[in-house]
Amino acid sequence: MSLFKARDWWSTVLGEKEEFDQGCLCLADVDNSGSGQDKIIVGSFMGYLRIFNPHPVKTGDGAQAEDLLLEVHLRDPILQVEVGKFVSGTEMLHLAVLHSRKLCVYSVSGTLGNVEHGNQYQLKLMYEHNLQRTACNMTYGSFGGVKGRDLICIQSMDGMLMVFEQESYAFGRFLPGSLLPGPLAYSSRTDSFITVSSCRQVESYKYQVLAFATDADKRQETEQQKLGSGKRLVVDWALNIGEQALDICIVSFNQSASSVFVLGERNFFCLKDNGQIRFMKKLDCSPSCFLPYCSVSEGTINTLIGNHKNMLHVYQDVTLKWATQLPHIPVAVRVGCFQDLKGVIVTLSDDGRLQCSYLGTDPSLFQAPKVESRELNYDELDVELKELQRIIKVVKSQGIWPMPEKEDDLKVYAMVSSNFDPVSQATDVEIGTDVVPSITVQVTLQNRIVLPKVKLSIYVQPPLVLTCDQFTFEFLAPEMISTVSFSVYLKRSYTPSDLEGNAVVSYSKPTDRNPDGTPRVVQCKFRLPLKLICLPGQPSKTANHKLTIDTNQSPVSLPSLFPGFANQSDDDQINVMGFRFLGGSRVTLLASKTSQRYRIQSEQFEDLWLITNELILRLQKYFEKQGIKDFASSFSGSIPLQEYFELIDHHFELRINGEKLEELLSERAVQFRAIQRRLLTRFKDKTPAPLQHLDVLLDGTYKQVIALADAVEENQGNLFQAFTKLKSATHLMILLIGLWQKLSADQIAILEAAFLPLQEDMQELGWEETVDAAISHLLKTCLSKSSKEQALNLNSQLNIPKDTSRLKKHITLLCDRLAKGGRLCLSNDAAAPQTMVMPGGCTPIPESDLEERSVEQNSTELFTNHRHLIAETPVPVSALQGVSE
């Protein structure tokens, strides 16, 4: 054992239960800062890529938050990371990441931060290659003597070398007699690849020989090989070392010669360019990694070798110069420069212990701390504890972050015009024969201080569109007022999910610590009128979908609630009103003459949402003007889960169709490029050969690509429309559940966060898997029955499901829990099981399909016969006179 340990300069632990190997560590100035300071790039088998820039305040400090520049989860296991000139047209450094079936090249860039949190770093994918064979390792270099760029060679698990000329695939060759892949390195001086085969011998292959050998796709004897075309792949030189190799490293510290270092299981070899042995060293312990790092005297090379006894040895050729102890077994070792400190040794263990250390002669001696002996006064401690508990209760009741009452730096006001524009601003509409109106919205900004760059962004729900959605202001003096106007209109023939718009203002407020300014955001919401998307229509007596809303006040005349939609010529129809949305959908609203009920009916389930919501809002506003403060509405019908599930299935079916179409398009694009390459080879050939109908195949493939692209675009439009309808139906379901169980505003907000997490539906992250994860979290926390359910872990990775059966069962179970007295909350009280709170107990989360089917049957009975759960006595259906069935 060494007398002196490796002195810890900076260290950290990467993740939890992650695994690493020798290719997972790399040191380079990956962000091209030009400072000469290295960054630590680490990839794990769990798919996490991390980039560190150590800045310890004092020697031995652990990692600070600002030391981690970037952390990205790439999903696929990372086998190796390298930094080089991998992008054509530039000599900037880029990061190459090797996965088992993919090679990705990224650009790492940093932007200066506006606040004290520091700079922001981004990882941008430049290009990627999907591999046909499982990769093992890779190497890079200026193959063939190219200047100013690096090529990449990947070795597969079946012994194939695949060469990539940056963005394009060059060729692939099988190594002769390959059984298992070994370490791989490239020698720029001899322009050759060096590996250790399964025959336990070091082999060298010239790049030129690889380039002109028979293609790997023609491994079996073909017609061209019978004619003698192509060359046989032969080894340049070979040396039998009698053991398997752990790693290979090629170094050249002078222009005269380069050395090939091979780390075996028991020995350490140094070879010349032609394969002759310069020296070898028998090692006392089983090695784990090595690194030849410098030449301190003429003709000698220093090497770091780590072993499985937590030791790091420094050899000068075969002479042991230093031995130091590490706190872990290293699987990778590198030497870098950090904060102008050269020669920092960076080691990585297989369980993620990353350490930057240096070799010193300052022994680490343990000194026992002095024991402070004093008697404890338990009465004083009890009084102090009670005082702290009292302070905590006061802070809880007042809020953790009390906001100071200060005047805003910028005020925003929005006003919607009461009349349509005299000349409609609607352009490129897709609504048929209806005249599409537009309405003007005016936004006013008033500043209190000087604000140089202020940006205003306007958002409305599609298919509503704006004539202009981005504005920029310069407030160069205090107390300035700026006003902008824009028009809103309906572009397509389906209804938006909400009539509410949002005006968001972003600006930077200068501070003493940050003269550039701290980002601030102010927003103002506005509501568009119903008449913008809806016209008076003829009431319908029959409809597929009907809802009945109960109130606690006498019915109100519908023309007084909807004055813009009343038909003055027909006085008998004061309790019936028809609405027609732009595009053709119709909704009928009926008010009971005797009971306190309103009925909304339509042919489309999602069209009920806007009229139902508008009815409740206008009733609340009407009774507030009358001075009635106890107005309340409720829903006593059955929750329309089946209609809601049909919209979910339709949306999910379009997502699956889109995924299949994109896969087909990708396959046809690959086929199209392959045919192009074949044709280009034929055209470049000096001896003309027949095309063998390749031109016909190219034309047919081109037509298929165009047809598939049109199908993908059409499916995306249908998916966007289906997602808008699904959001409308979801809003309606949340409203009905809130009226059904008399939920508070906080509980409705939790439901909205669970059911409406996405503003935009994407193929990678869709509505179904996101909502399923949110509802599962609610079922296992605040709506759980026992602590056993709370202990179940949710999957951290969201993938598109196979079908919607699990989501629909979870939604049914959520309604079941709410019907049995469950409450929604996000406080710490949610951790307590609600067995005693819920009357009759809650159904546990199903663990099998059989249990889920039973829950679904029970919940169906519950939702159709749940009038005993309503506090007020409902009015019989027969009392609803004047309402058409």
Side-chain angles (χ1 to χ4, degrees), residues 352-371:
R353 297 183 182 183
L354 181 65
Q355 176 174 320
C356 296
S357 55
Y358 60 90
L359 304 180
T361 57
D362 181 18
S364 176
L365 301 177
F366 173 76
Q367 293 181 352
K370 295 182 179 179
V371 179

Side-chain angles (χ1 to χ4, degrees), residues 157-205:
M157 294 298 293
D158 55 354
M160 177 182 175
L161 297 184
M162 297 171 284
V163 178
F164 295 89
E165 294 182 357
Q166 297 183 335
E167 289 88 349
S168 61
Y169 172 73
F171 58 86
R173 303 290 183 263
F174 279 100
L175 297 180
S178 175
L179 180 62
L180 293 174
L184 179 68
Y186 171 73
S187 174
S188 58
R189 189 171 181 274
T190 60
D191 193 22
S192 59
F193 296 100
I194 300 175
T195 183
V196 178
S197 68
S198 53
C199 298
R200 299 186 176 184
Q201 62 182 9
V202 184
E203 298 177 351
S204 175
Y205 297 91

Side-chain angles (χ1 to χ4, degrees), residues 297-310:
S297 61
E298 186 67 25
T300 63
I301 297 177
N302 282 21
T303 307
L304 293 172
I305 300 180
N307 58 39
H308 287 274
K309 290 190 176 181
N310 294 21

Side-chain angles (χ1 to χ4, degrees), residues 669-739:
V670 171
Q671 177 180 327
F672 186 73
R673 290 192 293 268
I675 298 172
Q676 283 182 322
R677 285 196 296 267
R678 293 289 179 89
L679 280 174
L680 185 61
T681 304
R682 295 289 178 91
F683 292 150
K684 286 183 176 180
D685 197 354
K686 294 181 179 179
T687 58
L691 296 180
Q692 295 179 348
H693 302 292
L694 283 176
D695 54 342
V696 179
L697 186 59
L698 180 70
D699 182 65
T701 306
Y702 173 75
K703 292 179 180 178
Q704 289 181 357
V705 169
I706 295 300
L708 284 172
D710 293 339
V712 168
E713 186 176 359
E714 181 182 359
N715 187 82
Q716 287 177 348
N718 295 334
L719 180 62
F720 189 82
Q721 180 176 351
F723 184 60
T724 303
K725 293 181 178 180
L726 180 59
K727 286 198 294 184
S728 299
T730 303
H731 279 295
L732 180 61
M733 291 294 295
I734 295 173
L735 175 66
L736 295 180
I737 292 175
L739 296 177

Side-chain angles (χ1 to χ4, degrees), residues 643-857:
E643 293 86 348
Y644 184 51
F645 291 161
E646 290 176 0
L647 289 174
I648 294 177
D649 291 336
H650 177 60
H651 174 264
F652 184 74
E653 181 181 356
L654 290 174
R655 283 188 64 193
I656 297 298
N657 290 340
E659 194 175 43
K660 294 179 180 178
L661 288 172
E662 289 179 0
E663 290 179 359
L664 285 174
L665 181 60
S666 178
E667 292 176 0
R668 294 298 179 268
V670 171
Q671 177 180 327
F672 186 73
R673 290 192 293 268
I675 298 172
Q676 283 182 322
R677 285 196 296 267
R678 293 289 179 89
L679 280 174
L680 185 61
T681 304
R682 295 289 178 91
F683 292 150
K684 286 183 176 180
D685 197 354
K686 294 181 179 179
T687 58
L691 296 180
Q692 295 179 348
H693 302 292
L694 283 176
D695 54 342
V696 179
L697 186 59
L698 180 70
D699 182 65
T701 306
Y702 173 75
K703 292 179 180 178
Q704 289 181 357
V705 169
I706 295 300
L708 284 172
D710 293 339
V712 168
E713 186 176 359
E714 181 182 359
N715 187 82
Q716 287 177 348
N718 295 334
L719 180 62
F720 189 82
Q721 180 176 351
F723 184 60
T724 303
K725 293 181 178 180
L726 180 59
K727 286 198 294 184
S728 299
T730 303
H731 279 295
L732 180 61
M733 291 294 295
I734 295 173
L735 175 66
L736 295 180
I737 292 175
L739 296 177
W740 175 44
Q741 290 297 321
K742 294 182 173 56
L743 301 181
S744 63
D746 292 338
Q747 292 175 308
I748 293 177
I750 295 174
L751 277 182
E752 290 178 347
F755 279 90
L756 297 168
L758 301 176
Q759 290 295 328
E760 183 179 355
D761 195 30
M762 298 177 293
Q763 197 68 29
E764 296 81 9
L765 182 63
W767 183 86
E768 285 80 6
E769 57 265 29
T770 311
V771 172
D772 188 34
I775 295 178
S776 299
H777 175 74
L778 292 177
L779 292 175
K780 295 174 182 178
T781 53
C782 58
L783 294 179
S784 65
K785 179 185 177 182
S786 61
S787 59
K788 179 181 178 182
E789 293 182 2
Q790 299 171 8
L792 297 176
N793 293 325
L794 295 176
N795 188 9
S796 60
Q797 185 173 345
L798 297 181
N799 297 320
I800 182 170
K802 296 181 180 179
D803 52 39
T804 59
S805 58
R806 176 183 172 88
L807 171 63
K808 292 188 288 189
K809 289 171 183 176
H810 282 173
I811 294 176
T812 305
L813 190 58
L814 174 72
C815 297
D816 180 34
R817 296 283 176 90
L818 291 175
K820 293 183 177 180
R823 61 186 181 93
L824 297 168
C825 62
L826 296 178
S827 63
N828 295 332
D829 298 337
Q834 299 186 22
T835 307
M836 301 303 295
V837 177
M838 300 183 185
C842 273
T843 308
I845 297 177
E847 300 295 339
S848 64
D849 293 338
L850 182 62
E851 188 177 353
E852 286 185 341
R853 284 195 295 268
S854 64
V855 170
E856 192 173 10
Q857 294 172 0

Side-chain angles (χ1 to χ4, degrees), residues 114-115 406-409 448-453 507-512 514-520:
N114 291 330
V115 293
K406 297 193 300 184
E407 189 176 358
D408 295 333
D409 300 325
R448 186 177 62 86
I449 60 176
V450 176
L451 299 172
K453 294 181 180 180
Y507 62 94
S508 295
K509 179 183 178 181
T511 59
D512 297 336
N514 189 4
D516 295 334
T518 303
R520 292 286 187 269

Side-chain angles (χ1 to χ4, degrees), residues 266-424:
R266 294 175 298 275
N267 298 283
F268 168 53
F269 303 89
C270 178
L271 312 179
K272 296 181 181 179
D273 290 336
N274 56 4
Q276 297 179 357
I277 296 180
R278 283 189 58 214
F279 62 82
M280 66 171 289
K281 172 69 176 177
K282 183 175 178 60
L283 302 174
D284 298 330
C285 303
S286 176
S288 59
C289 61
F290 86 131
L291 176 70
Y293 65 95
C294 73
S295 177
V296 295
S297 61
E298 186 67 25
T300 63
I301 297 177
N302 282 21
T303 307
L304 293 172
I305 300 180
N307 58 39
H308 287 274
K309 290 190 176 181
N310 294 21
M311 299 294 293
L312 187 66
H313 291 169
V314 182
Y315 285 90
Q316 185 174 3
D317 285 351
V318 296
T319 306
L320 180 63
K321 290 294 185 179
W322 193 267
T324 184
Q325 188 178 17
L326 294 173
H328 55 258
I329 299 174
V331 295
V333 58
R334 300 289 185 272
V335 175
C337 176
F338 305 100
Q339 290 187 341
D340 298 328
L341 182 62
K342 298 181 179 180
V344 177
I345 301 173
V346 182
T347 55
L348 176 68
S349 68
D350 60 349
D351 57 352
R353 297 183 182 183
L354 181 65
Q355 176 174 320
C356 296
S357 55
Y358 60 90
L359 304 180
T361 57
D362 181 18
S364 176
L365 301 177
F366 173 76
Q367 293 181 352
K370 295 182 179 179
V371 179
E372 183 182 358
S373 59
R374 64 184 183 91
E375 296 182 359
L376 299 177
N377 191 332
Y378 291 100
D379 295 334
E380 293 181 359
L381 292 177
D382 193 26
V383 172
E384 183 180 359
L385 178 62
K386 290 181 179 179
E387 178 65 19
L388 292 175
Q389 289 177 342
R390 186 189 65 80
I391 295 174
I392 291 172
K393 289 182 180 179
V394 172
V395 173
K396 259 188 180 179
S397 62
Q398 296 179 353
I400 299 177
W401 303 106
M403 299 299 293
E405 295 183 0
K406 297 193 300 184
E407 189 176 358
D408 295 333
D409 300 325
L410 186 67
K411 296 181 179 179
V412 187
Y413 309 94
M415 183 179 68
V416 181
S417 176
S418 58
N419 299 318
F420 290 144
D421 297 335
V423 178
S424 178

